[in-house]
Amino acid sequence: QVQLVESGGGSVQAGGSLRLSCAASGYRNFMGWFRQAPGKEREGVAAIFIGNGATYYDDSVKGRFTISLDNAKKTVNLQMNSLKAEDTAVYYCAASGLQYGLATPSRLLSRRDYNFWGQGTQVTVSS
């Protein structure tokens, strides 16, 4: 079992920044961040491979969001810059045991291979 607890959500104006943190009781091969806006499907935002730090991003956040690991603190972080109103959502941390050789960007940004989820943290961006 992996327990994940997100923090760092809040309200910010468009163009601002937030940093989300996910405290993990343990890592799996891939750690990811997802988000779900009201009335929409949960979508992948970013993922990172524990082995070599390779990162994967949805096109909508490339260049604005950065996923990283802090091994000392056992956290997975998501730095979000240049926030837009459309980034408003509940953000979830997740863990996947998917083998590296089976990983593709589209698969890593899909819910199907993630077994463990946090409770979510709300991010609201006002325009």
Side-chain angles (χ1 to χ4, degrees):
Q1 281 284 7
V2 175
Q3 293 184 328
L4 304 169
V5 180
E6 302 94 337
S7 62
S11 297
V12 65
Q13 289 191 331
S17 298
L18 281 174
R19 183 178 177 84
L20 304 183
S21 185
C22 171
S25 63
Y27 286 152
R28 289 295 182 266
N29 278 351
F30 292 93
M31 304 297 292
W33 281 96
F34 288 73
R35 66 186 180 187
Q36 188 166 16
K40 294 190 176 181
E41 294 288 321
R42 193 171 298 187
E43 62 179 6
V45 173
I48 187 166
F49 177 52
I50 300 302
N52 61 10
T55 57
Y56 309 82
Y57 296 95
D58 183 74
D59 286 344
S60 65
V61 306
K62 275 181 184 175
R64 300 190 297 123
F65 290 11
T66 303
I67 188 171
S68 63
L69 298 172
D70 185 330
N71 290 319
K73 296 181 180 178
K74 213 71 170 182
T75 59
V76 184
N77 303 308
L78 186 68
Q79 178 67 40
M80 306 186 296
N81 298 328
S82 302
L83 283 162
K84 305 176 181 179
E86 51 263 44
D87 294 319
T88 295
V90 177
Y91 283 71
Y92 298 89
C93 179
S96 168
L98 181 68
Q99 294 179 30
Y100 185 73
L102 298 177
T104 62
S106 60
R107 190 164 177 177
L108 289 171
L109 297 178
S110 165
R111 298 179 60 175
R112 58 179 280 199
D113 294 306
Y114 288 84
N115 309 103
F116 303 100
W117 294 84
Q119 82 289 349
T121 186
Q122 177 70 46
V123 171
T124 302
V125 184
S126 57
S127 56

